[in-house]
Amino acid sequence: MIRILIICLLLISTGISRLFAQCDRKSDSLELVKLYNATNGPNWTNKWDLTKPMESWYGITLKPDGCVITIKLNSNNLSGNLLDFNLPFLEGLFLQDNHINGSLPKFTFLKNLGEATLYFNNFKDTIPDFQLPNLTRLNLSYNQLSGSIPDFSGMPRLGKMWLEGNQLSGQIPNFSNFPELDNVYLFKNRLTGPIPNFTNLPNVTYIKLGENLLTGTIPDFKNLPNLYFVDLSTNLLTGTIPNFSNPNLYEINLSGNQLSDTIPLFSELKSLQNLDLSSNKLYGKIQSVPSNLKRLMLQINQLEGELPSFAEQKYLVDINLGSNRFNGMIPDFNNIENLLTLNLSNNQLTGDLFEFSNSHPKLQVINFSRNQLTGTIPLYTKSPSLIDLNISNNNITGTLPDFNSTSLWDINVENNQLEGRLPNFDSLPYLRILKITSNNFYGRIPDFRLRSNFLRLYAADNKFTFGDFLPVNPNLQVFEVGAQKPFYYDTIISGIAGGELIIDLVIDDSITNNNYAWYKENKSWSPPVGNDIHSNILKFPNLQIGNVGRYFVRVTNPDAPQGLLQSKVIGVKVCNLSHDSSELVKLYNNLDGQNWINNENWLVPGKSISTWNGIQVGTEGCLQSIILDNNNLKGNLPELSLNSLDTLILSNNSISGTIPNLYIPFIRYFNLMNNNIEGEFPSELKSWTNLQGFNVQNNNLVGPVPPDLGDLCMLTELKINNNKIIGELPEKLTNLQNLEKGKVDFSNNKIDILKDKIIFFCPFGDSILANNPSFDRFQSICNIKCDNFNWEDLQDSSWLIQILSQLLCIDTSCTIVSSEVGFVNVRGLKFIYTKERCCKDSDCLDMTDVVTFYDCGGHIVEVASCTSGGGFCSTGGSISLDTFHILHYDPKWICGQKINIDTSVTDYNKQKLKPVLIKENLYKLNCFPNPVINDLICNLSEDKIDGFIVINSLSEQMNCKFSNNNGIVTLTLSDLLPGYYFLEIRAGKNRYLGRFVKR
């Protein structure tokens, strides 16, 4: 016992002696040598010569008595592990911007006898020495440190600590041992878990924890009266935003999280000047923001309503409200004289562009892109400092002005309806980026040769030709001319057989090295001998029937290899009077012409076909139309070759047999109603691309309706009623968007299959499918139109809950992800829509939207996938691209809002989980693992399973293997593609709902 007491006294006396120790220069030098060796000193940028005194060592500052007080070895190529070292008088340690790896040393500091006793009682071999008791500044930022953050109990005086830019993981300690710490710099690491409230750090002014993997909610930091700066951006934080009450708070950055609900008022933040809440799931209207605010960043949320004018926020410098749901007109922002940047892009703003009524002398950036703005472009004379103007992806018309703002250097007017020649921009000496893609500009591009600072011109998808921009200006470092809009006319040209036909493309007369590649019926075609591949003129020296067809040409030029011109389709008819006459004779003989009611002048010698009853000819004298309705025609319709025929009406006769091969490629109106026609639809029908009217009602046609009929996009009339047509009415017919009410009829057939997409025919009335086996099906499709539904009528629907549960609200492959659901009107019909957005970058420049349209029974009727602001879209055809871009969406639900019935799958790796009742006979599935690779295991505690359904994000049912072992259900999912899926399992009256992610 006495021996133990002596040891304790020795320990106490040793600790006290070290606490008041004198400077030990030799000991400090040995600690520095340990640091040198541990961090690969021989390869430092500034090495130490260990044979010389410490005073000469790079980055070392000593006290007058020779002990180390500062180490500054930042950016000095240190590598290796950082060891514990003992420097009692060290005040500053700066090792940032090196290659130090491994875990952080603990820098342990024994403070009292109780701690010594603890070590002794736990049989530690040695009691650690006092280490860095006087350290006030520690900077280890931007190294490769890993592992967790220790509590650093050996540095009680630490006031500033920088650990950002490493690979530190684990949870953030509360730093209760640092009463003097005034900053927490831990951003750009791999830290996880919740954010401490730092209640024992009353002096903290800066908290920077951005770019980690932190979860949970945000503390309100009420006990930090000196808090000045909070950056929690780019984490996985959820919940609502606290209504902070810190009186000195100057900047808040909570961007890039999963925060939801509305924005608090921040009524107590009288010092707040910078607020960044971008890239969350905030919704609702902007209620109020502090009047002293200078920077407001709320882009990429779900905020809605009309924009406030910020009349009280006269100090605002930056406003970024892009990628929200603001609507209405753009306010004038009259009171904000100091405004530098204004970003309102990617909203639902309408109205005309306008010039600000008040002067904004400092305004440098305007971004109104991706809205629904109209009108013409003002000169912006009230904004003389403007350098960046982006009004792309709107409906702006008119010409591009030669602005008066001498400061402009970046103009982006892509994807509008601007036209005309480009101005010379003589008043813009600093202009260096001009984006005019996807407009209707034409004519010679200005000569920028005297403007050496002009670097980039983006001019694709306009009406330029190679003659407009060759030779290419050598000062253009980037010149994207790309493919231009189709030139020439979508027309049909007639010529006389045996004569010469010349097609002058009327472009690039002075360009001799263009290459003209011709195509006929979408296949490569070689022009007749005598044509020049470099000529803009196509000649048919001896026009023949074989030259009939549809042509287009692609034009390239070796001096601008990126450029591409393509003509519209040019139809060529050949007028051959003798050929037409012989074909009409064939028609007369096959259809019992001698017994027609009216056959005046038919086959009468000396009488031209223009005088024959029912025959009309064109300007060249060749056949244009045959109108022989109600004329007692009998027999079989013969094969005919009439390339110049425009109209064929043989209705109300007694024609029998099948519809033969008819070479009438430019037919516009075809009517054989009220005859005895048999057989199937003619195969040539798909080539009649100019067809506007097709009427074969009241015949005996059989077989299915050919889907190719849906490619005849000019059809306004389609009547096939009262036949014997069977099978499916192809959903491709919904592509026919020019059909007119009263001119559509499929009734009195044997059509027995309809897809949900046929809802687009509902505006034509129920009777169009009367007396078909599918009539009841058609009525049921039309009865679940959304026209008479409100959101409240649908939000409890199980199908809508399924859809909401599958939406893309979290995706690690996207920098920004969001989803919404609501109503939209398309082609006179009201639909439910879902829109899922994935942005690959923080500014949403690389963006994909997937929009799915549902009827109010939950059936998919169309899907559209669009990239980067609608620059490219692919749809199923029922919605044209022009229509798609002007749709007005009415969102009713967004990510972060509550789903009436929770169908989320619990992500637990447990073998026994009790299902949770969420509605009568409806339960939430508990399944694991989630995400899943192969087998998904769900616990139902049901002896008998009646069945299951797995549905993908397109509401398509998937096939999976299924087994049940005493209520433990296993689904084998190895054949499924990666994505989000909805799962429903049925057991008696019970239904179990859930979702999972397949990797």
Side-chain angles (χ1 to χ4, degrees):
M1 187 73 180
I2 296 175
R3 184 175 180 181
I4 294 176
L5 180 60
I6 294 172
I7 292 174
C8 289
L9 292 173
L10 286 172
L11 288 172
I12 295 171
S13 62
T14 303
I16 295 172
S17 66
R18 288 182 180 271
L19 182 61
F20 299 100
Q22 298 297 315
C23 174
D24 189 340
R25 177 185 173 90
K26 179 179 179 180
S27 174
D28 281 12
S29 66
L30 292 175
E31 293 297 303
L32 292 181
V33 171
K34 183 167 68 172
L35 172 66
Y36 183 83
N37 291 331
T39 56
N40 198 15
N43 289 314
W44 288 1
T45 303
N46 297 288
K47 306 175 184 62
W48 289 346
D49 186 347
L50 300 182
T51 65
K52 294 183 178 180
M54 274 195 303
E55 288 85 349
S56 66
W57 295 358
Y58 173 80
I60 301 301
T61 304
L62 304 178
K63 291 180 60 180
D65 54 5
C67 277
V68 179
I69 58 172
T70 305
I71 301 175
K72 288 187 178 181
L73 296 174
N74 50 295
S75 304
N76 202 40
N77 199 36
L78 276 68
S79 60
N81 294 341
L82 194 61
L83 303 178
D84 268 318
F85 47 86
N86 178 11
L87 293 171
F89 297 96
L90 187 67
E91 297 177 4
L93 177 60
F94 302 93
L95 304 179
Q96 68 269 28
D97 297 302
N98 283 292
H99 307 287
I100 302 170
N101 52 34
S103 59
L104 283 167
K106 295 184 178 180
F107 300 122
T108 308
F109 174 56
L110 299 183
K111 291 179 289 186
N112 52 43
L113 178 60
E115 196 165 325
T117 305
L118 175 65
Y119 272 88
F120 181 78
N121 289 337
N122 284 328
F123 305 103
K124 296 291 182 181
D125 292 333
T126 59
I127 298 175
D129 294 334
F130 296 116
Q131 304 261 328
L132 304 176
N134 290 300
L135 193 69
T136 60
R137 292 165 296 164
L138 173 64
N139 194 337
L140 302 176
S141 60
Y142 296 99
N143 279 283
Q144 299 169 15
L145 297 167
S146 58
S148 60
I149 303 174
D151 60 7
F152 295 127
S153 58
M155 299 181 292
R157 295 184 56 194
L158 193 65
K160 296 185 181 297
M161 176 176 62
W162 298 271
L163 298 177
E164 69 271 16
N166 283 285
Q167 301 174 25
L168 299 171
S169 58
Q171 295 193 11
I172 301 173
N174 206 15
F175 298 124
S176 56
N177 295 313
F178 295 161
E180 298 183 21
L181 193 67
D182 73 352
N183 73 293
V184 181
Y185 283 170
L186 299 175
F187 57 96
K188 292 186 178 180
N189 279 288
R190 299 176 181 176
L191 300 168
T192 57
I195 299 173
N197 55 20
F198 302 119
T199 53
N200 294 320
L201 303 179
N203 297 316
V204 163
T205 56
Y206 285 84
I207 296 176
K208 297 187 70 174
L209 307 177
E211 298 184 54
N212 280 287
L213 300 170
L214 301 172
T215 56
T217 58
I218 300 175
D220 57 19
F221 301 123
K222 287 184 177 179
N223 296 320
L224 305 179
N226 299 315
L227 190 61
Y228 180 82
F229 184 101
V230 174
D231 181 359
L232 309 178
S233 62
T234 317
N235 279 286
L236 302 172
L237 300 172
T238 56
T240 60
I241 299 173
N243 193 13
F244 296 104
S245 58
N246 313 71
N248 298 319
L249 198 54
Y250 173 88
E251 178 165 342
I252 299 174
N253 187 349
L254 307 180
S255 62
N257 283 285
Q258 299 172 29
L259 304 171
S260 57
D261 213 336
T262 58
I263 301 173
L265 296 176
F266 299 124
S267 55
E268 297 184 39
L269 302 185
K270 306 302 182 183
S271 301
L272 187 66
Q273 297 193 14
N274 297 328
L275 177 62
D276 190 347
L277 305 179
S278 305
S279 303
N280 280 285
K281 300 173 184 175
L282 304 172
Y283 54 90
K285 298 181 179 180
I286 297 180
Q287 304 267 340
S288 175
V289 293
S291 59
N292 52 323
L293 205 63
K294 290 185 176 180
R295 185 171 179 263
L296 178 61
M297 311 290 286
L298 300 178
Q299 64 174 337
I300 315 177
N301 279 290
Q302 310 287 339
L303 300 169
E304 60 186 6
E306 294 188 355
L307 288 169
S309 63
F310 299 112
E312 302 298 324
Q313 288 75 29
K314 61 181 180 179
Y315 301 109
L316 272 170
V317 173
D318 295 322
I319 299 177
N320 189 339
L321 305 179
S323 298
N324 281 285
R325 308 194 177 284
F326 294 113
N327 53 39
M329 301 180 67
I330 301 173
D332 205 346
F333 300 119
N334 284 328
N335 295 332
I336 314 177
E337 296 181 357
N338 296 314
L339 194 61
L340 288 177
T341 63
L342 177 59
N343 182 3
L344 306 178
S345 64
N346 203 16
N347 279 284
Q348 299 170 11
L349 301 172
T350 56
D352 289 349
L353 283 176
F354 63 93
E355 172 67 279
F356 296 109
S357 60
N358 282 10
S359 176
H360 291 75
K362 299 179 181 180
L363 185 60
Q364 297 181 356
V365 177
I366 293 177
N367 189 346
F368 295 158
S369 64
R370 300 175 190 167
N371 281 284
Q372 301 167 27
L373 300 171
T374 54
T376 59
I377 304 175
L379 292 174
Y380 291 109
T381 55
K382 301 283 188 177
S383 308
S385 300
L386 189 63
I387 62 174
D388 189 338
L389 174 64
N390 187 346
I391 55 173
S392 62
N393 293 281
N394 282 286
N395 294 308
I396 309 301
T397 57
T399 60
L400 187 61
D402 196 352
F403 295 94
N404 293 327
S405 174
T406 57
S407 300
L408 265 171
W409 62 271
D410 189 344
I411 300 175
N412 187 344
V413 296
E414 297 175 319
N415 294 298
N416 280 290
Q417 300 178 40
L418 297 166
E419 59 183 3
R421 298 177 182 271
L422 290 176
N424 290 321
F425 301 114
D426 290 337
S427 62
L428 304 180
Y430 304 111
L431 183 64
R432 61 189 184 95
I433 301 176
L434 178 61
K435 296 181 179 180
I436 58 173
T437 300
S438 298
N439 282 284
N440 294 300
F441 291 113
Y442 58 84
R444 184 70 185 169
I445 288 177
D447 187 354
F448 296 110
R449 294 177 185 277
L450 300 179
R451 196 189 304 254
S452 60
N453 62 314
F454 194 87
L455 303 177
R456 303 185 183 102
L457 174 62
Y458 304 85
D461 195 28
N462 280 282
K463 295 183 177 181
F464 297 117
T465 69
F466 290 105
D468 293 331
F469 50 77
L470 288 176
V472 176
N473 186 343
N475 290 329
L476 296 179
Q477 292 185 5
V478 176
F479 181 33
E480 291 189 2
V481 63
Q484 296 294 307
K485 283 184 168 64
F487 66 95
Y488 203 67
Y489 314 99
D490 188 359
T491 187
I492 299 174
I493 299 175
S494 296
I496 306 296
E500 183 182 55
L501 178 65
I502 296 177
I503 299 176
D504 187 347
L505 299 176
V506 199
I507 64 164
D508 294 352
D509 292 332
S510 61
I511 304 296
T512 59
N513 63 339
N514 276 356
N515 295 315
Y516 294 83
W518 283 91
Y519 295 79
K520 180 182 180 181
E521 311 300 346
N522 292 319
K523 296 181 180 179
S524 182
W525 174 78
S526 297
V529 176
N531 281 281
D532 184 357
I533 191 176
H534 302 300
S535 173
N536 67 342
I537 294 177
L538 175 64
K539 295 181 180 179
F540 294 92
N542 183 21
L543 193 64
Q544 299 297 321
I545 293 293
N547 298 130
V548 172
R550 292 178 172 86
Y551 299 82
F552 69 89
V553 64
R554 289 176 178 159
V555 189
T556 57
N557 189 290
D559 294 334
Q562 191 187 58
L564 174 65
L565 310 180
Q566 180 169 311
S567 72
K568 295 181 179 179
V569 174
I570 304 170
V572 174
K573 292 181 179 179
V574 176
C575 177
N576 188 322
L577 186 57
S578 63
H579 175 82
D580 287 357
S581 298
S582 63
E583 292 296 290
L584 289 176
V585 169
K586 187 193 305 183
L587 178 72
Y588 182 86
N589 291 331
N590 276 53
L591 296 180
D592 193 20
Q594 292 182 350
N595 294 310
W596 290 357
I597 295 173
N598 186 345
N599 58 7
E600 182 181 358
N601 291 333
W602 277 77
L603 309 189
V604 175
K607 294 291 187 179
S608 68
I609 65 172
S610 63
T611 66
W612 297 5
N613 174 60
I615 300 301
Q616 295 179 1
V617 297
T619 55
E620 297 88 359
C622 284
L623 183 63
Q624 180 172 335
S625 64
I626 302 174
I627 305 175
L628 294 171
D629 56 313
N630 297 290
N631 205 35
N632 197 35
L633 278 65
K634 297 179 181 179
N636 294 345
L637 189 66
E639 292 186 359
L640 297 173
S641 174
L642 297 169
N643 79 87
S644 62
L645 188 65
D646 180 273
T647 302
L648 178 63
I649 300 178
L650 304 177
S651 57
N652 299 304
N653 285 290
S654 299
I655 301 172
S656 55
T658 61
I659 301 176
N661 292 328
L662 297 174
Y663 184 65
I664 47 177
F666 300 106
I667 190 75
R668 293 181 185 274
Y669 191 74
F670 183 88
N671 190 337
L672 292 180
M673 65 177 279
N674 295 327
N675 279 283
N676 300 312
I677 302 296
E678 301 173 341
E680 299 184 350
F681 289 85
S683 59
E684 291 81 6
L685 186 61
K686 62 184 177 182
S687 65
W688 300 352
T689 56
N690 294 93
L691 193 64
Q692 297 178 12
F694 184 72
N695 189 339
V696 292
Q697 62 182 324
N698 301 320
N699 281 283
N700 295 302
L701 289 172
V702 298
V705 178
D708 291 336
L709 194 60
D711 293 327
L712 307 181
C713 58
M714 297 181 68
L715 275 174
T716 61
E717 179 181 2
L718 178 58
K719 292 185 176 181
I720 60 175
N721 52 295
N722 294 299
N723 281 281
K724 299 177 181 179
I725 297 166
I726 63 172
E728 177 186 352
L729 189 65
E731 61 181 355
K732 196 174 181 180
L733 295 187
T734 61
N735 295 2
L736 303 175
Q737 300 182 45
N738 292 312
L739 291 175
E740 298 176 2
K741 194 171 184 178
K743 295 183 179 182
V744 178
D745 201 341
F746 309 123
S747 63
N748 296 297
N749 280 289
K750 298 180 180 180
I751 299 170
D752 59 359
I753 299 176
L754 299 178
K755 298 288 182 64
D756 297 310
K757 201 172 181 178
I758 297 297
I759 194 172
F760 284 105
F761 280 106
C762 292
F764 298 120
D766 289 352
S767 62
I768 68 169
L769 274 159
N771 297 317
N772 277 278
S774 58
F775 179 65
D776 290 342
R777 165 76 171 139
F778 185 60
Q779 284 189 313
S780 67
I781 289 175
C782 295
N783 285 338
I784 52 177
K785 294 185 299 183
C786 296
D787 297 39
N788 298 319
F789 284 90
N790 295 316
W791 184 253
E792 293 74 17
D793 302 325
L794 297 168
Q795 59 183 351
D796 291 325
S797 302
S798 60
W799 68 265
L800 184 57
I801 295 164
Q802 291 182 21
I803 291 170
L804 295 178
S805 69
Q806 296 172 64
L807 286 179
L808 187 69
C809 289
I810 299 176
D811 189 338
T812 56
S813 66
C814 307
T815 302
I816 300 163
V817 61
S818 64
S819 293
E820 68 180 55
V821 182
F823 290 117
V824 63
N825 287 292
V826 183
R827 290 174 57 179
L829 293 168
K830 184 178 178 182
F831 291 108
I832 290 280
Y833 79 93
T834 66
K835 182 188 289 187
E836 299 176 87
R837 171 166 295 175
C838 173
C839 300
K840 296 296 185 180
D841 60 280
S842 58
D843 293 323
C844 254
L845 299 177
D846 183 3
M847 176 180 67
T848 299
D849 281 344
V850 178
V851 184
T852 306
F853 301 85
Y854 299 84
D855 62 27
C856 278
H859 308 108
I860 293 178
V861 295
E862 189 61 283
V863 178
S865 177
C866 304
T867 62
S868 298
F872 170 80
C873 294
S874 60
T875 69
S878 300
I879 304 174
S880 70
L881 297 185
D882 290 340
T883 299
F884 180 80
H885 288 312
I886 61 173
L887 293 178
H888 179 70
Y889 298 104
D890 181 16
K892 300 296 183 182
W893 179 92
I894 58 175
C895 285
Q897 290 183 339
K898 184 179 179 181
I899 302 175
N900 278 19
I901 301 178
D902 183 8
T903 59
S904 59
V905 172
T906 307
D907 187 10
Y908 293 134
N909 292 317
K910 298 180 180 179
Q911 293 297 321
K912 282 290 184 179
L913 294 171
K914 183 179 179 181
V916 180
L917 179 64
I918 51 180
K919 200 172 183 180
E920 184 177 1
N921 296 326
L922 188 63
Y923 296 86
K924 180 172 68 174
L925 268 174
N926 295 314
C927 304
F928 67 92
N930 184 19
V932 61
I933 297 177
N934 292 316
D935 293 340
L936 184 71
I937 300 172
C938 305
N939 176 33
L940 273 69
S941 299
E942 295 274 4
D943 294 332
K944 181 181 178 181
I945 305 299
D946 296 320
F948 74 99
I949 298 175
V950 175
I951 301 173
N952 68 7
S953 59
L954 296 178
S955 289
E956 299 168 336
Q957 188 168 336
M958 313 305 293
N959 294 321
C960 306
K961 294 181 179 179
F962 170 88
S963 65
N964 178 27
N965 183 14
N966 296 321
I968 303 298
V969 176
T970 302
L971 283 85
T972 301
L973 309 173
S974 55
D975 292 337
L976 293 186
L977 296 174
Y980 286 81
Y981 292 87
F982 175 83
L983 172 62
E984 177 180 334
I985 299 178
R986 297 183 299 277
K989 295 183 179 180
N990 296 333
R991 294 171 59 222
Y992 296 82
L993 304 178
R995 63 174 177 170
F996 61 89
V997 178
K998 171 66 165 61
R999 288 193 186 279

